[in-house]
Amino acid sequence: MIRSWHLGDDRQSLVLASFDDRLPEAVYWGPALPTGENLETLSAAALADVTGGMVDRNAGLSLCPEASESFPGQTGLTARNASGAPLMPSFRFESEAASEHGLTLVFADNSLDLSLVFDLVLTPETSLLKLQTRLESADEITVDWLAAPVLPVPAYTGEMIEFSGRWCAEFLTRRLPFAPGARVRDNRTGRTDHAHFPGLVVCNAGTSNTAGEAFAFHYGWSGGHKMVAEELADGRRQVQFGHATASLASGRHFVSAPLYATYSATGFNGAAVRFQRHVRDHVAQGARTPRPVHYNCWEAVYFKHDLDELKAIASLAADLGAERFVLDDGWFGRRDDDTSSLGDWVIDKRKYPDGLTPLIDHIKALGMEFGIWFEPEMVNEDSDLCRAHPDWVLGHADQIRGRQQLVLDMSNQEVRDYLYAHIADVLKNNDIGYIKWDHNRILPVVDARQAEGFYELVDRLRSDFPAVEIESCSSGGGRIDFGVLERTHRVWLSDSNDALERQRIQHDAALFLPASITGSHVGPRHCHTSGRTLDIRLRAWTAAQRHVGFEMDPRELTEAEAETLRNVTSWWKANRSWMMQADILRLDSPDPAVIAEQQLACDGSRFVAFAALTRPSDQILPRPLRLTGLDPQGRYRLSLVNRDEAPRLSRGAPLLKHQDLEASGQYLMSHGLTLPWRFPETVWVVEGERL
């Protein structure tokens, strides 16, 4: 007996089959199948042969591969009963329920009083699969591993792209062969983490940004994840995502985070656009429109807060075009450095004898919104909170400290109530429209309840203060995922404001993140994280590729630098209404020294391309840069926005250097743009409009 189900649209199809009421297997995932395809025939056709050296029936590579089936790879569930004995459930079909765009499939092992539920949705607008696994038990059990619904990837895919990184170098990509055995990444830091963005792309050697097939995955969870990409001895391949090992506890109800997945026939961009649109339109809800130009005072004053100085800085930021002023770390307790006062969320009367009102009034008079920094989940030993409640600290007393701080136990309702009361008091008594929510260390204990407690606190604040935007910051990009983005409006992509590093980080993050929620700031002339000194034009145009902001002391700017920043900011404001809704398409540059992208309006009527030369090219002349996503038969007018930045050594007369170009989409995608010669560490900006 075969039961079969189909989730599909005009971009992809996922076909599931249950043989003899066992757990369902994905028997097809790929390009959209034609209407009327016989699913039972496809299911039967997917059954593989058996030969010598094998068991007499292939264990199903199901949505939750079972140990009871003698599955030879990583199983989807590892659980123990109250006495610690392993559970070996054998689930059978119990019920199904269909919604307009999804399925709920229920399977049970009645002998163990266990139910396994799969919630499966294909979002109609963005063609992303959203898949979750739920486990229900009549008795108290311990679950060590529960995978989100497990998907196979086909044998013709030979490579995978995984994500690693570090502080100030987030979203590093590594392209690896998909080989026999298991590639396992087990992030036990307790947060999403700089080194473990929960994503994976499976592809072919020939897959590029603009061509080829790709299967892309993201696990929407903020508490640390485990990923398994495995090729079995029989050649089948599976991808599993779930909570980090040992992060689940005993209980009767367990649920994975959502696994988002999609198939693309148009390269990495095909998948990236779906993720970007889903985050922008369905996940990060309620962000301010138009997106305001941001100013953060951290790299101007650090912990040294002086009211008159901050007012002067705010006035200069407003003159440059800022529309939001964020007061960073140092406004509370007795916070003169990073060794004290975390947890004491009361305004420092030494620095602000009349509270924050004088500063806020000044900022509001300048036409800017006021924002403020918190790090709620952390505590210093030198704080009134820690002295009063050492029992609220997560982990043992002699643990290694991180950034001179400890972590509060967010599973404790008293802790969450305390934090809510103090944050809410600041928000109620001050005109605050924005919170920068930081998280500056890994956790001493791997426990899913920490992330769940964080979610509960943020949800409570969002409910009671719906007009306040929240940015997720975790030493930069240490907590970026769809789980946190369901509760926030912006992410701080990296603590690095080095524009060259930012070019690469932004480029790779665009595989999943849209511009509208990705903060990018113009840093100081001398970058405090890299030690490099970079030109204001590179810094400004790099920030203008995302949600733009400034994070430097504006008093350091020369008048020429200030004028450049005003001009780029004005350009961004004039274009933000469509750019913040645009698709970011990564361009395949024939010059490895060039990082290039094209931001294409949703209706295809206009675009802007950025091409950054990050180091000297190996050849003399710029290689033509091919665009993408245009109508081959359409005609476009292109203008080099910053042609006045051409250096003296650009001695020739390429057309774009002197006048606009009109050409067909076919020409622009096949031949590409011939750009003027330029020095390294510069960016060309090209605007295009369909005629």
Side-chain angles (χ1 to χ4, degrees):
M1 176 184 178
I2 300 175
R3 300 179 189 270
S4 56
W5 302 272
H6 179 218
L7 289 174
D9 57 18
D10 59 354
R11 288 159 283 187
Q12 64 179 320
S13 286
L14 176 68
V15 178
L16 303 174
S18 169
F19 300 95
D20 297 326
D21 282 345
R22 292 189 294 270
L23 290 180
E25 306 173 33
V27 295
Y28 177 87
W29 183 27
L33 294 171
T35 302
E37 188 84 64
N38 189 307
L39 300 184
E40 187 169 330
T41 299
L42 293 188
S43 302
L47 287 172
D49 203 353
V50 175
T51 186
M54 302 177 70
V55 293
D56 295 337
R57 177 176 61 80
N58 291 309
L61 202 170
S62 68
L63 297 185
C64 186
E66 294 174 290
S68 62
E69 285 259 297
S70 300
F71 186 74
Q74 168 75 51
T75 58
L77 171 64
T78 305
R80 294 169 279 141
N81 64 20
S83 63
L87 293 172
M88 300 277 283
S90 183
F91 292 103
R92 292 295 183 268
F93 176 81
E94 188 163 277
S95 66
E96 64 179 284
S99 62
E100 184 178 2
H101 302 293
L103 294 165
T104 296
L105 304 178
V106 181
F107 291 75
D109 184 326
N110 294 323
S111 66
L112 296 175
D113 285 328
L114 294 175
S115 292
L116 195 63
V117 182
F118 302 108
D119 295 308
L120 315 169
V121 174
L122 179 62
T123 55
E125 299 90 351
T126 56
S127 195
L128 273 191
L129 293 162
K130 182 180 180 182
L131 315 172
Q132 277 187 281
T133 304
R134 289 183 282 139
L135 178 67
E136 308 287 346
S137 173
D139 302 316
E140 184 104 348
I141 63 173
T142 298
V143 171
D144 298 309
W145 171 247
L146 177 66
V150 177
L151 292 176
V153 289
Y156 63 76
T157 56
E159 295 185 347
M160 68 179 83
I161 297 174
E162 65 168 22
F163 296 85
S164 59
R166 58 168 173 81
W167 178 68
C168 288
E170 292 84 348
F171 287 92
L172 288 173
T173 58
R174 301 182 65 205
R175 196 157 178 163
L176 305 172
F178 210 125
R183 176 68 178 172
V184 179
R185 292 183 65 85
D186 195 5
N187 169 23
R188 297 168 55 82
T189 66
R191 62 180 180 181
T192 317
D193 197 57
H194 305 77
H196 298 278
F197 176 74
L200 181 74
V201 181
V202 179
C203 59
N204 294 312
T207 305
S208 68
N209 289 319
T210 56
E213 292 183 287
F215 297 82
F217 304 81
H218 172 72
Y219 190 59
W221 169 244
S222 307
H225 76 284
K226 179 180 175 182
M227 179 206 81
V228 180
E230 184 176 28
E231 181 176 310
L232 305 177
D234 59 28
R236 292 179 294 170
R237 293 170 172 173
Q238 64 164 334
V239 172
Q240 295 193 13
F241 277 90
H243 288 13
T245 299
S247 66
L248 297 179
S250 298
R252 291 182 171 85
H253 174 78
F254 306 87
V255 61
S256 74
L259 175 65
Y260 298 88
T262 195
Y263 162 80
S264 167
T266 54
F268 303 132
N269 284 340
V273 165
R274 294 177 198 171
F275 283 111
Q276 292 170 22
R277 291 181 178 180
H278 194 77
V279 170
R280 187 182 64 231
D281 300 336
H282 301 284
V283 178
Q285 297 294 296
R288 205 85 72 242
T289 302
R291 306 300 285 134
V293 177
H294 208 86
Y295 177 77
N296 185 292
C297 71
W298 175 243
E299 293 189 39
V301 300
Y302 295 100
F303 296 104
K304 185 178 178 296
H305 288 211
D306 176 84
L307 181 59
D308 291 336
E309 189 175 21
L310 286 167
K311 285 181 176 180
I313 289 171
S315 296
L316 291 172
D319 178 66
L320 293 169
E323 298 164 313
R324 171 187 285 154
F325 181 100
V326 178
L327 185 67
D328 212 285
D329 195 354
W331 58 268
F332 56 92
R334 298 182 66 84
R335 182 76 164 172
D336 297 326
D337 56 35
D338 63 4
T339 66
S340 76
S341 301
L342 282 177
D344 298 342
W345 299 111
V346 292
I347 297 166
D348 186 347
K349 292 297 185 181
R350 301 171 306 152
K351 300 176 182 178
Y352 299 97
D354 299 315
L356 296 175
T357 300
L359 178 60
I360 294 174
D361 287 348
H362 178 77
I363 286 165
K364 299 289 285 187
L366 292 168
M368 291 193 289
E369 179 181 73
F370 180 78
I372 197 165
W373 181 95
F374 285 96
E375 193 175 3
E377 296 144 274
M378 303 295 160
V379 66
N380 288 122
E381 289 164 280
D382 182 10
S383 67
D384 293 340
L385 177 61
C386 196
R387 284 184 284 271
H389 289 286
D391 55 310
W392 285 3
V393 172
L394 183 70
H396 54 80
D398 61 348
Q399 64 181 271
I400 298 173
R401 275 54 175 166
R403 200 176 181 258
Q404 315 294 327
Q405 60 198 51
L406 298 167
V407 184
L408 293 170
D409 181 0
M410 295 297 291
S411 70
N412 186 331
Q413 185 66 51
E414 289 184 292
V415 171
R416 298 198 300 272
D417 289 344
Y418 168 88
L419 292 172
Y420 173 84
H422 282 73
I423 296 171
D425 183 67
V426 174
L427 296 179
K428 287 175 184 175
N429 293 302
N430 297 279
D431 189 354
I432 293 172
Y434 186 86
I435 292 174
K436 178 182 177 182
W437 188 302
D438 219 333
H439 183 285
N440 277 310
R441 62 156 291 178
I442 64 173
L443 304 188
V445 176
V446 184
D447 190 338
R449 294 175 300 175
Q450 190 72 11
E452 291 164 355
F454 159 67
Y455 285 171
E456 191 273 341
L457 175 59
V458 178
D459 290 346
R460 187 177 175 188
L461 287 165
R462 281 287 307 273
S463 175
D464 292 348
F465 301 94
V468 177
E469 278 196 21
I470 300 177
E471 173 186 82
S472 174
C473 175
S474 184
S475 296
R479 187 158 61 186
I480 296 175
D481 56 78
F482 288 15
V484 77
L485 280 167
E486 287 180 349
R487 298 161 169 87
T488 57
H489 309 86
R490 188 181 198 255
V491 295
W492 183 225
L493 194 58
S494 177
D495 275 348
S496 175
N497 278 326
D498 181 302
L500 291 176
E501 293 177 343
R502 274 280 176 156
Q503 281 288 333
R504 201 275 312 153
I505 296 169
Q506 292 175 177
H507 187 71
D508 290 331
L511 287 168
F512 295 92
L513 303 179
S516 59
I517 59 95
T518 305
S520 188
H521 295 174
V522 182
R525 187 183 303 118
H526 181 77
C527 180
H528 80 291
T529 58
S530 70
R532 274 197 288 236
T533 298
L534 297 172
D535 188 273
I536 186 65
R537 291 167 292 186
L538 174 66
R539 289 182 278 145
W541 284 119
T542 298
Q545 292 177 233
R546 298 295 184 267
H547 182 195
V548 76
F550 321 138
E551 189 159 350
M552 94 291 270
D553 189 338
R555 295 169 297 185
E556 79 168 24
L557 297 172
T558 66
E559 183 49 45
E561 288 174 325
E563 187 61 23
T564 294
L565 191 50
R566 288 189 198 96
N567 291 340
V568 173
T569 302
S570 295
W571 177 89
W572 186 86
K573 287 181 176 180
N575 289 279
R576 62 181 161 185
S577 62
W578 71 268
M579 280 179 60
M580 293 298 98
Q581 299 296 315
D583 298 328
I584 304 172
L585 305 175
R586 302 182 349 148
L587 297 178
D588 294 317
S589 170
D591 183 351
V594 172
I595 295 176
E597 70 179 32
Q598 178 185 334
Q599 298 188 13
L600 179 65
C602 288
D603 63 1
S605 63
R606 60 194 307 179
F607 65 85
V608 59
F610 299 89
L613 183 62
T614 61
R615 60 172 176 80
S617 294
D618 295 334
Q619 75 285 336
I620 295 175
L621 296 177
R623 290 172 171 165
L625 181 67
R626 299 203 297 178
L627 303 183
T628 190
L630 305 180
D631 177 1
Q633 303 305 314
R635 294 199 62 78
Y636 296 84
R637 178 183 295 114
L638 280 69
S639 175
L640 189 59
V641 176
N642 57 337
R643 59 169 56 109
D644 61 337
E645 296 178 13
R648 185 171 52 84
L649 282 178
S650 172
R651 299 183 296 163
L655 189 145
L656 273 173
K657 184 178 171 183
H658 300 286
Q659 66 181 68
D660 292 351
L661 163 68
E662 290 189 14
S664 68
Q666 187 66 71
Y667 173 85
L668 297 171
M669 292 189 292
S670 298
H671 180 276
L673 297 178
T674 300
L675 294 167
W677 185 92
R678 47 19 196 301
F679 287 118
E681 302 181 2
T682 58
V683 180
W684 283 131
V685 183
V686 180
E687 285 183 317
E689 181 181 8
R690 183 167 180 173
L691 300 175

